[in-house]
Amino acid sequence: MFYPLELPRPRRPLYGAFGGQSGLIQTQKDPKDKSRLGRLWRFYLPYFKDYAEESSVHGIRYLADPKLRKFERFIWLLILIATSIGAILVYVDLNELYQSVRIQTTIKNTMLPIFRIPFPSIGLCPRNRLNWKLLENGAAEHFLGANVSAVKKDLFIKFFTAAGDPHLSRMNEMSRFFMNETLASNLHMLDSLNLRDVYKYIQFKCQDLFKMCRWRGNPVNCCDVFEDQFTESGLCFVFNTEISPRSRKRAKEDQFYPRRTAQYGEGTGLDVFLRLNRSLIRPGKRGINVMIKQTQQWSDAIRLVPPETHSRVSITPRYTVSSERTRSVPTEVRRCLFDDETDSPHYKNLPGFQYWVGNCRSRCHQEHVLDLCNCSPSIFFPFNENDNFTLCKPSDFKCLYDNRLTFSIERHPDENDFVKNPFNESMICDCFTSCTQLIFERVYTTNPLDNNETDTEAGTTRIDIFFQSGWFVQYQTVMRFTFVELLASFGGIIGLFLGASLLSGFELVYYFTIGLYMYVHDKREVKKPEPRIVTIPFGQRKITPIKYIHQSFNK
């Protein structure tokens, strides 16, 4: 007798073969959709379901959960789409912030002692700085020879009289000289002169100008602490400088140079009494131009201090340092340069000088003079043996005078967007600050001298320069977002919105690359096993069920 229940039961298909016929019983009917898209969907659907069930991303597993109804799965699909869009929007905003505002300047220390930085370099440039008696009696013979002609001597005296208070931005003061065509045409007769040597010879000496000096309240020899130095304001007396070879050598050998001070207030810095005999002063130009700059800076802006006054200059340092991590940001974004970034197209500096924004501006001024006049005036700018330009001769001052309007105005490239300039002629200088920048903010206060303090009839001027406070604020420029911080923020966003991690991303990539490839490969290579023929003995007869079953299906 034949018992169908005793036949082998169908089992789960091998190799993930879902659907179709397997074993002895048909487990799934053939779908009605015979299109190519339908076949692909049936082919990949089991793999996608397997990924959804095993995914570590929250929410995806609910899409394949057989316990949930269709509308519940649809709700989870909407939630997953909404959280994904939210994660993308937050990441885009964070990435835009990373790209646009990559650095920021914050306060690092509000109580940094002032002895941590050098006292500023002080330049004193008298407006009436020439020894007129020496200029009119003996200077021409000293440089042009004892037998100098009267015409040449007169030209010598009138030229240096007109250029007695030289400054690149004030060449219009020589108008009276160049309006005389005879003097201007004969100026080439002085081209053999070394202008630096002439100015050093005819300028007042230290002992002719300084009466008394105090440093940190203690009397010092003025001629020991001041030295002659050329600037864009001509030859000046400079205190606490690192420009000359002598001062640079001292800075290497003496740990306390450049000078510093730990005190603040009046009388704790540099206190100078200037007295110049009126018999040596020509009428018209009086007062002292004061220049406050960094010790390794060539020149800076000047401020006129009137004569017979007691002027107090209060200084507040502003110190900014940039971290090394900001090097990863382009110079156009951070707007500063490190000392070793000499290959940058924005690097412009005086040869042999430390990079400061002031030195960059002086180099920019020098390049404009070289471009317009094909020479560099030695009394305004430094030079060395490696320079490939010529020094300006007295006759070249005619070119400086003709371009005086250009040299009197310095503009920034972005200035035209904010300031209306009535003149087209100007020097365009786009100088980045140093990534370790020191700036001195100063406040001038001027009062008439007290008669009991000094003899005002001798033309005395007192200048007291000191720090306003014993502490100053140090700023630091740091990276607002680094790539590591951006990656960490991105991980937090993904974890917040999707509950995923970096491994979830690798999992997704793996499932849709290597895993998908292996799935397709196995489906193509592994064939379905042939149905087994089972023969069951029933007494004297042998029955092969597959045949009976096959025949029953074909009826």
Side-chain angles (χ1 to χ4, degrees), residues 166-183:
H167 196 285
L168 183 64
S169 63
R170 298 198 304 267
M171 294 301 298
N172 59 327
E173 295 184 2
M174 300 186 66
S175 299
R176 181 176 299 180
F177 178 87
F178 285 107
M179 289 177 62
N180 189 322
E181 296 181 0
T182 302
L183 294 176

Side-chain angles (χ1 to χ4, degrees), residues 167-171 232 364-375 377 380-381 396-410 425-427:
H167 196 285
L168 183 64
S169 63
R170 298 198 304 267
M171 294 301 298
E232 290 190 47
C364 177
H365 300 167
Q366 185 181 35
E367 290 179 350
H368 279 85
V369 175
L370 289 169
D371 182 59
L372 295 175
C373 297
N374 297 320
C375 67
F380 296 142
F381 303 107
D396 295 321
F397 272 65
K398 180 63 167 61
C399 177
L400 300 179
Y401 173 77
D402 293 338
N403 295 280
R404 61 190 181 279
L405 184 59
T406 300
F407 300 145
S408 64
I409 303 174
E410 177 189 342
E425 300 86 352
S426 62
M427 297 183 293

